[in-house]
Amino acid sequence: MPNATDFLRDLIRVRAMPGQEQELAERVRQEWRELGFDEAYTDEAGNALGLVRGRETGNAWLLLTHLDHVHEGDLSLWKHPPFEAVLEEGIVYGRGAVDIKGPLAAQTYALADLLARGERPRRDVWIAAVTEEEVGGAGAAYLVAHPPALIGAVIVGEPSNNQLMLGHRGVAHVHVTLHGTAHHASLRLPDNPLFALGELLRRVEHIDLPTHPVVGRSTLTPTQVVTDSGSENLTSNTATVTLDWRGSESEEQMRATLTELLAGLPASGEVAPMWTAKNTPGFATDPAHPLVAKVLPYTRRFHTESGLWSFATDGRYTHAASWPTVGWGPGDEKLAHTVREAIAVADLQAHAAALGELLVQEAP
């Protein structure tokens, strides 16, 4: 009998970097067809879409994952080859095991197990594995612009250790350039841009950023500094610092804060538009939202409280489209994008069982 573990191992064996998901999408559609899904097809963006019809009419559920994964990196660092899908002592190893092929397999078999028992979900359930999530979310953007049905609720299947997730902060990378005049280091003139950089970093260190009631306090962290000086005895004309900004502020709020940070400094910088590969908004679902009340009883068997992701997801697209959105997926998020990537078979099975119960009993 087919099962989630075998399906996951097949998925891992197909390398699917962003923009190269076609083979994996076909494998996913094949599985859905063989399992008896009512529809299984690929849209214009290359997203794999499946449908299991429900017992009642009304708004549909959307189970959301993606097809692509990050690069495997240095093969010598892996305990098991990243695309061999080794199963050892109840754990499946490989690139994409937890981000995101494990959750995709679990969502698939939540529905497949219902069909195998002759059951149907209460409402229609659409399942979508979209393209290019790892590089900005082109597949999700297309999906929300061309929805397959009226969507009443979304469960984003990114790994969460089976905890209910209410969202995540947005991320923006801001580049600030401090300006000066290059001169011989022995002169120690005041227009060295590194002096201005020091003042900027002091301001960043002590800045008081807002706290969102769901996703928490915003952070602003300097990560890289680049200068145009090629010699140790030459000051630079410019010094550019990258600031990693995590939070829930709007672009307008961020620009106002940046203006305050740069006031009086010989500096230039801007907050680039969001909805790009490097700058993405977050999303937050109110703990009092009816969707949370519906899903939480099924996730409480794993965690009593809801949580937040530390990374960005395609939930930002569905939330922006006004589709009620929460997160819930098997696997440890700390293993995502690492050479230790793996997922426990027991976690897959537990998630599929609990998700299946939710879909049979609840309407979005």
Side-chain angles (χ1 to χ4, degrees):
M1 292 291 292
N3 58 62
T5 304
D6 291 341
F7 182 41
L8 167 59
R9 297 180 73 196
D10 278 354
L11 296 179
I12 291 174
R13 293 183 184 112
V14 181
R15 191 172 186 272
M17 292 290 291
Q20 303 170 18
E21 302 100 334
Q22 183 176 359
E23 180 182 354
L24 185 63
E26 176 53 40
R27 178 65 186 88
V28 170
R29 294 198 310 272
Q30 175 193 0
E31 190 82 0
W32 291 345
R33 294 188 195 105
E34 292 177 355
L35 292 171
F37 285 29
D38 295 293
E39 292 188 33
Y41 65 93
T42 301
D43 67 16
E44 293 298 319
N47 301 323
L49 291 165
L51 168 66
V52 173
R53 298 195 186 281
R55 308 185 308 272
E56 302 175 3
T57 59
N59 289 347
W61 289 97
L62 173 65
L63 308 181
L64 180 63
T65 58
H66 56 93
L67 296 165
D68 58 321
H69 55 75
V70 296
H71 196 276
E72 61 276 15
D74 186 346
L75 298 180
S76 69
L77 300 177
W78 289 78
K79 178 181 178 182
H80 302 289
F83 299 108
E84 288 191 9
V86 171
L87 173 60
E88 184 177 272
E89 297 181 350
I91 298 175
V92 179
Y93 294 86
R95 174 57 80 225
V98 73
D99 184 13
I100 185 122
K101 297 174 179 182
L104 170 57
Q107 288 184 344
T108 294
Y109 273 83
L111 294 168
D113 292 345
L114 294 182
L115 295 176
R117 297 194 300 267
E119 295 185 85
R120 287 272 171 176
R122 182 171 171 182
R123 292 284 179 83
D124 288 357
V125 179
W126 284 90
I127 181 170
V130 299
T131 58
E132 299 189 39
E133 188 273 348
E134 298 289 357
V135 291
Y142 184 90
L143 178 66
V144 299
H146 304 84
L150 290 175
I151 302 300
V154 180
I155 296 177
V156 179
E158 294 280 356
S160 71
N161 275 317
N162 276 321
Q163 184 176 20
L164 178 65
M165 295 298 198
L166 299 184
H168 54 76
R169 296 179 299 173
V171 57
H173 294 99
V174 179
H175 300 95
V176 174
T177 298
L178 292 306
H179 303 277
T181 303
H183 55 267
H184 197 288
S186 65
L187 298 177
R188 199 185 184 281
L189 298 178
D191 57 350
N192 184 335
L194 294 182
F195 294 142
L197 174 62
E199 172 59 19
L200 174 63
L201 295 180
R202 186 195 66 79
R203 296 180 185 183
V204 169
E205 181 181 9
H206 296 287
I207 191 171
D208 185 19
L209 293 174
T211 298
H212 188 276
V214 177
V215 298
R217 182 175 293 279
S218 297
T219 57
L220 186 59
T221 305
T223 59
Q224 293 181 322
V225 175
V226 177
T227 74
D228 67 348
S229 172
S231 301
E232 292 184 354
N233 62 350
L234 174 69
T235 69
S236 58
N237 292 292
T238 61
T240 300
V241 59
T242 301
L243 303 175
D244 180 291
W245 203 324
R246 308 276 169 154
S248 57
E249 300 98 310
S250 67
E251 290 181 40
E252 292 75 16
Q253 291 170 319
M254 294 172 71
R255 292 190 180 106
T257 299
L258 183 62
T259 297
E260 292 181 14
L261 280 172
L262 302 187
L265 295 178
S268 59
E270 64 177 356
V271 176
M274 304 298 277
W275 300 106
T276 63
K278 290 187 176 182
N279 286 9
T280 63
F283 83 91
T285 297
D286 191 321
H289 193 283
L291 177 59
V292 175
K294 291 176 182 178
V295 179
L296 192 56
Y298 301 90
T299 63
R300 275 194 174 133
R301 65 189 64 179
F302 308 106
H303 296 272
T304 57
E305 303 295 333
S306 59
L308 300 167
W309 275 308
S310 60
F311 53 79
T313 75
D314 277 338
R316 62 194 186 270
Y317 286 96
T318 57
H319 179 79
S322 297
W323 298 353
T325 300
V326 296
W328 179 25
D332 184 352
E333 65 177 87
K334 295 184 181 64
L335 297 177
H337 297 199
T338 74
V339 296
R340 300 175 290 111
E341 189 167 3
I343 193 167
V345 171
D347 287 348
L348 292 179
Q349 295 171 337
H351 181 84
L355 177 58
E357 290 180 34
L358 165 69
L359 298 175
V360 164
Q361 298 180 41
E362 302 289 346

